[in-house]
Amino acid sequence: MRKILLLTFTLILSHFGYSQGNTWEKIGDWPGLKRTRAVAFAIGDYGYAGTGVDTAEKTHNDWWKYDPTIDTWTQVSDVPGSVRRNAVSFVIGENGYVGTGIDTNVSDFGIKQSDFYVYNPDANIWSPIASYPGGGGLGVYQATGFAVGNSGFVACGKIGPDNYLEELWEYQQSTNTWIARPPFPGGDRHQLSSFALENKGYVGMGTDHDLYRKDWWQY
């Protein structure tokens, strides 16, 4: 009887401990202006976020670092180049990458961006890398990015009104080059989501000519 009670008590504690970990906890507010269409990534023990459009419809290129040990955001070096929103980001090793996007809140008046930069968090320095060649090399926004191993990937995106891409490009860090890969099977679309898991990339959702999508694809 004691063994049964002990086992039951252990299972209750285990369930309670797991449930306690599966929760949301509010952290310190970001000190920058309220923002949408920004990008973010994590390197080591810190999170980073920036760019995007504020509530005054102003586009930014600022960059901020979050330290969870003291629950504090600190502004660090701005992303180089133009202000931008709807850019993409990914992390390879100990470095973060940000690129593409468009430089105004109104697409019809904006200039699409193809430039890309690598961020060294230890030195707090951004350095340019090879520009993104997708979309004819003229820039893209509302694409999605992820990293697998030592390569970064950028998929799909928007290049103009009702003009979207299905392209997939791989950035090889060792040679600083972009290589075209098989296009996204779900067709051309923008405003997608993506992540990487166990050396595979996952891309899905988004919108295609005003049709919202819910399919997901593994690369």
Side-chain angles (χ1 to χ4, degrees), residues 90-97 118-119 129-130 148-153 170-179:
F90 52 79
V91 173
I92 302 175
E94 298 300 317
N95 295 311
Y97 294 76
V118 56
Y119 180 66
I129 64 169
V148 176
N150 292 319
S151 293
F153 296 84
E170 175 185 354
Y171 174 74
Q172 295 190 340
Q173 181 188 44
S174 59
T175 58
N176 187 32
T177 55
W178 292 91
I179 300 174

Side-chain angles (χ1 to χ4, degrees), residues 136-169:
L138 300 178
V140 65
Y141 59 108
Q142 295 181 354
T144 190
F146 61 90
V148 176
N150 292 319
S151 293
F153 296 84
V154 175
C156 302
K158 186 174 184 177
I159 57 176
D162 202 35
N163 194 353
Y164 315 133
L165 300 175
E166 59 184 7
E167 298 175 352
L168 175 68
W169 288 81

Side-chain angles (χ1 to χ4, degrees), residues 6 12 26 35 37 68 72 85 93 107 112 114 120 126 129 134 143 148 158-159 166 170 176 178 182 186 201 217:
L6 179 60
I12 292 172
K26 189 178 185 303
R35 203 66 55 88
R37 305 183 186 187
T72 299
R85 50 99 169 169
S107 301
K112 301 186 299 293
S114 63
N120 180 333
W126 293 91
I129 64 169
V148 176
K158 186 174 184 177
I159 57 176
E166 59 184 7
E170 175 185 354
N176 187 32
W178 292 91
W217 299 79

Side-chain angles (χ1 to χ4, degrees), residues 1-51:
M1 185 65 179
R2 286 183 178 179
K3 289 184 178 179
I4 295 175
L5 289 174
L6 179 60
L7 177 60
T8 303
F9 184 66
T10 302
L11 290 173
I12 292 172
L13 284 180
S14 298
H15 176 73
F16 179 77
Y18 176 78
S19 298
Q20 287 293 96
N22 188 25
T23 60
W24 290 93
E25 179 180 348
K26 189 178 185 303
I27 63 171
D29 287 348
W30 193 50
L33 297 171
K34 295 178 181 179
R35 203 66 55 88
T36 185
R37 305 183 186 187
V39 293
F41 55 66
I43 301 176
D45 296 326
Y46 303 101
Y48 298 85
T51 70

Side-chain angles (χ1 to χ4, degrees), residues 32-209:
L33 297 171
K34 295 178 181 179
R35 203 66 55 88
T36 185
R37 305 183 186 187
V39 293
F41 55 66
I43 301 176
D45 296 326
Y46 303 101
Y48 298 85
T51 70
V53 179
D54 66 22
T55 52
E57 302 299 335
K58 181 180 179 181
T59 309
H60 295 268
N61 66 339
D62 55 344
W63 199 244
W64 298 75
K65 173 183 177 179
Y66 177 69
D67 185 343
T69 61
I70 55 176
D71 189 24
T72 299
W73 292 91
T74 303
Q75 189 167 8
V76 291
S77 296
D78 291 347
V79 179
S82 175
V83 296
R84 69 188 72 215
R85 50 99 169 169
N86 292 113
V88 299
S89 65
F90 52 79
V91 173
I92 302 175
E94 298 300 317
N95 295 311
Y97 294 76
V98 172
T100 70
I102 194 167
D103 68 353
T104 67
N105 66 300
V106 181
S107 301
D108 291 345
F109 302 105
I111 299 174
K112 301 186 299 293
Q113 307 296 308
S114 63
D115 53 336
F116 238 95
Y117 301 91
V118 56
Y119 180 66
N120 180 333
D122 294 332
N124 187 27
I125 293 175
W126 293 91
S127 301
I129 64 169
S131 294
Y132 180 63
L138 300 178
V140 65
Y141 59 108
Q142 295 181 354
T144 190
F146 61 90
V148 176
N150 292 319
S151 293
F153 296 84
V154 175
C156 302
K158 186 174 184 177
I159 57 176
D162 202 35
N163 194 353
Y164 315 133
L165 300 175
E166 59 184 7
E167 298 175 352
L168 175 68
W169 288 81
E170 175 185 354
Y171 174 74
Q172 295 190 340
Q173 181 188 44
S174 59
T175 58
N176 187 32
T177 55
W178 292 91
I179 300 174
R181 295 304 186 193
F184 177 61
D188 58 342
R189 68 180 71 178
H190 64 120
Q191 297 183 357
L192 308 87
S193 296
S194 63
F195 61 88
L197 181 66
E198 296 181 346
N199 293 318
K200 292 182 176 64
Y202 295 80
V203 176
M205 299 194 296
T207 180
D208 165 20
H209 306 280

